[in-house]
Amino acid sequence: MASILTQLNDHFAQALEGQFPSYITLPTPLVVPASNPKFGDFQCNIALPLAKQLGQQPRAIAMEIVDKVNLTGICEPLTIAGPGFINLKLLPDYLGEQLIKLQQNQQLGVSLVKGKERIVVDFSSPNIAKEMHVGHLRSTIIGDCLARVLEFRGYDVLRLNHVGDWGTQFGMLITYLKEVYPEALVTADALDIGDLVTFYKQAKQRFDQDEQFREASRQAVVALQAGDAENIKAWQLLCEQSRQEFQLIYDCLDIAIEERGESFYNPFLPGVVELLQEKDLLVEDNGAQCVFLDGFTNKDGDRLPLIVQKSDGGYNYATTDLAALNYRLTTDGAEKIIYVTDAGQANHFAQFFQVAEKADILSDPSQVVHVPFGLVKGEDGKKLKTRAGDTIRLKDLLTEAVTRARQDLETRLTAEERQETEEFKTEVAQRVGIGAVKYADLSQNRTSDYVFSFDKMLALQGNTAPYMLYAYARIQSISREGGIDFAQMDSGEIMLTEPTELVLAKSLLQFADVIETVETSLLPNRLCDYLYELSKVFNRFYENCPVLKASDPQRRSRLLLCDLTARTLKLGLSLLGIPVLDRM
């Protein structure tokens, strides 16, 4: 089902193709949403750039376009404003027809992509032997949302969790545990994750202060890399312990992701170095093998190197990333790879992308995209931390969100003198609490920092998950009150006579365009903004247009509008990873 915007652009393209063949050199789209609703629903400003090309008056060109474009049955007669702005206002009957088509479309007008292009989304990526903290929240939630949108559009999405499960830290931890808790290296679940983190911190302190311990840790890494059975078993136990803890978080957030850590690519690292040697890109610098980069310099203006093999023969993150990129493009067959990490890693990605191009690992720069995001800050404007100054554990943050949602629910139920089951309270608190955390993050432009506030994100008013969930629940209450099963309703005429009905109709018909915008911009907040506006528009419709008290055929028409709104909210929220509630 082609969106209204697509249909309008097609009509204008046909008109321009016959009248002004050179229009194809102009930017697209030809038609865009109106900047001011009082002038109409859409506008076409193509007459102005055409006038420059043809040396004519833009208003005269606009009149020619209006004469040629045929929008009978779609728009009211087109009008021209100012020097040549063409304004379009959709006919209510046409909007009603489009809504009926939308109702019969499972994808709610969102088209599926042609072909089955494979896209890798690399997100979350915690480190083994450490707990997931608030810093992992954004990558996990944003990555999952983008994967959901791409999957919905029909792409073959491979969700990868590039965990930090290899390197010096394991030699350090294994060496330390051999001294203080050897049982943890031979017995599953001997430690919980909190104890493991404590031991990790103690091991790091020893590593920084004790040269003998540092050398022993390095030897343990060498043994691990060489496949020593004892060290491999210890490493596997430590990884599994962390993996179980990570899964609890992913289950809570309803995140599906396939783990493929740094260790997976370890066998391919020597091949990366050989490839760079073959391409004559490697330069030895203080014993290390480096690639010098274009556009990256130090304070003295000298080019900065990207180290791919250290002087002791070890490898860096960049080496692993190059091996992973090559594997994903060749073995996995990825046509695009999206990396969701904090903005602080922008330089790293720019550097290793450049090396990948020079080495011909990457044939097209558009195959890789870094999706950066800002920090999560406390209400004091500083990086979100505990009162003791520690980074907040993600598990604690999510538990707190659910607890607060439960407290808010209990307060509301008491005020309303409502009695609800324990099962109801648990489900509502869980969905509202977790949904609020997700929505608060996704509703921000990901490139910006945002302030984390439980009070704001759990509010029933404003751009919050509870507001959207309440709008959906309100529609379900109409269903219960009227004894109506929306799923069993047949299609019928949708009549748009009231102003709020028209506004709601136009909002519902924007969904497909919004999803395509999220796909191209990789900005989930565009979907959040849309759902918030849709909820506001629906609430105004609900207040101004009685549904159950109206007489047929108006009653049926308004019920169809309610059903379409509920389906759109449910689908939109599901793409954000937020399940709806029939009652709140």
Side-chain angles (χ1 to χ4, degrees), residues 13 16-17 20-28 30 50 53:
L16 287 165
E17 197 167 32
F20 307 104
S22 63
Y23 91 92
I24 56 172
T25 64
L26 297 171
T28 54
L30 304 169
L50 264 177
Q53 283 193 23

Side-chain angles (χ1 to χ4, degrees), residues 179-423:
E179 292 182 13
V180 300
Y181 206 129
E183 184 183 352
L185 301 178
V186 294
T187 307
D189 301 326
L191 291 173
D192 65 32
I193 190 68
D195 292 334
L196 188 58
V197 170
T198 299
F199 283 132
Y200 178 87
K201 290 178 180 177
Q202 293 169 353
K204 181 67 168 67
Q205 190 173 17
R206 277 281 300 279
F207 186 85
D208 292 339
Q209 298 173 357
D210 185 338
E211 176 59 39
Q212 188 174 354
F213 178 82
R214 189 156 54 244
E215 181 56 32
S217 298
R218 290 193 182 110
Q219 291 305 315
V221 173
V222 172
L224 182 62
Q225 292 175 338
D228 174 74
E230 182 182 345
N231 281 277
I232 288 291
K233 181 178 180 180
W235 168 73
Q236 289 172 336
L237 288 172
L238 294 175
C239 288
E240 185 56 33
Q241 189 66 48
S242 291
R243 202 172 281 125
Q244 291 174 14
E245 193 70 18
F246 295 161
Q247 194 57 49
L248 293 175
I249 300 290
Y250 294 136
D251 289 345
C252 179
L253 291 171
D254 189 25
I255 304 291
I257 192 166
E258 179 181 327
E259 181 184 314
R260 193 188 288 170
E262 294 172 358
S263 62
F264 178 87
Y265 304 102
N266 192 56
F268 308 109
L269 302 185
V272 170
V273 176
E274 289 175 14
L275 175 62
L276 297 177
Q277 285 174 332
E278 290 172 10
K279 298 293 182 180
D280 201 26
L281 294 172
L282 287 184
V283 176
E284 186 174 317
D285 186 55
N286 292 323
Q289 296 296 318
C290 312
V291 179
F292 281 86
L293 303 161
D294 301 326
F296 293 91
T297 58
N298 59 21
K299 293 179 181 178
D300 299 325
D302 298 324
R303 286 198 303 165
L304 285 174
L306 187 73
I307 300 173
V308 293
Q309 188 169 27
K310 296 180 283 189
S311 57
D312 62 1
Y315 303 99
N316 269 1
Y317 290 122
T319 327
T320 302
D321 283 339
L322 287 165
L325 173 60
N326 189 52
Y327 188 93
R328 292 167 180 180
L329 290 171
T330 54
T331 306
D332 289 329
E335 293 169 74
K336 178 178 281 188
I337 304 170
I338 296 171
Y339 298 85
V340 185
T341 76
D342 65 274
Q345 296 188 46
N347 271 353
H348 166 75
F349 282 99
Q351 290 170 348
F352 112 75
F353 289 166
Q354 184 186 127
V355 174
E357 277 190 77
K358 289 185 174 185
D360 293 328
I361 293 173
L362 193 60
S363 58
D364 181 356
S366 67
Q367 288 179 291
V368 289
V369 183
H370 178 220
V371 174
F373 54 81
L375 297 173
V376 182
K377 292 187 174 181
E379 295 186 77
D380 58 0
K382 298 178 181 178
K383 196 171 181 179
L384 190 62
K385 291 190 175 183
T386 65
R387 289 182 180 177
D390 298 324
T391 302
I392 294 177
R393 298 190 308 172
L394 185 50
K395 179 170 65 176
D396 293 342
L397 181 143
L398 297 176
T399 300
E400 177 74 5
V402 174
T403 300
R404 290 189 181 224
R406 175 67 180 250
Q407 292 169 348
D408 288 351
L409 176 62
E410 295 277 10
T411 301
R412 189 156 47 83
L413 292 176
T414 301
E416 297 173 4
E417 298 183 349
R418 277 171 59 191
Q419 295 293 322
E420 296 289 355
T421 65
E422 185 65 24
E423 184 182 9

Side-chain angles (χ1 to χ4, degrees), residues 545-566:
C545 298
V547 178
L548 295 177
K549 291 181 181 179
S551 301
D552 276 335
Q554 190 179 62
R555 181 178 187 267
R556 168 176 283 274
S557 173
R558 289 177 178 174
L559 284 170
L560 289 173
L561 282 173
C562 289
D563 179 41
L564 266 174
T565 302

Side-chain angles (χ1 to χ4, degrees), residues 407 433 475 479:
Q407 292 169 348
I475 298 171
S479 169

Side-chain angles (χ1 to χ4, degrees), residues 110 145-146 148-150 152 439 442-444 463 468 510-519 521-535 568-578:
V110 179
C145 176
L146 295 178
R148 286 172 185 263
V149 169
L150 293 168
F152 183 65
Y439 191 88
L442 295 170
S443 62
Q444 309 296 318
N463 192 8
M468 247 68 67
Q510 292 170 7
F511 182 66
D513 292 323
V514 170
I515 295 302
E516 290 192 28
T517 299
V518 175
E519 178 199 334
S521 67
L522 301 177
L523 292 169
N525 65 295
R526 300 289 180 85
L527 176 55
C528 295
D529 292 343
Y530 167 76
L531 294 174
Y532 178 46
E533 287 302 316
L534 176 63
S535 298
T568 305
L569 286 172
K570 183 176 183 178
L571 176 53
L573 287 169
S574 75
L575 295 177
L576 300 175
I578 300 172

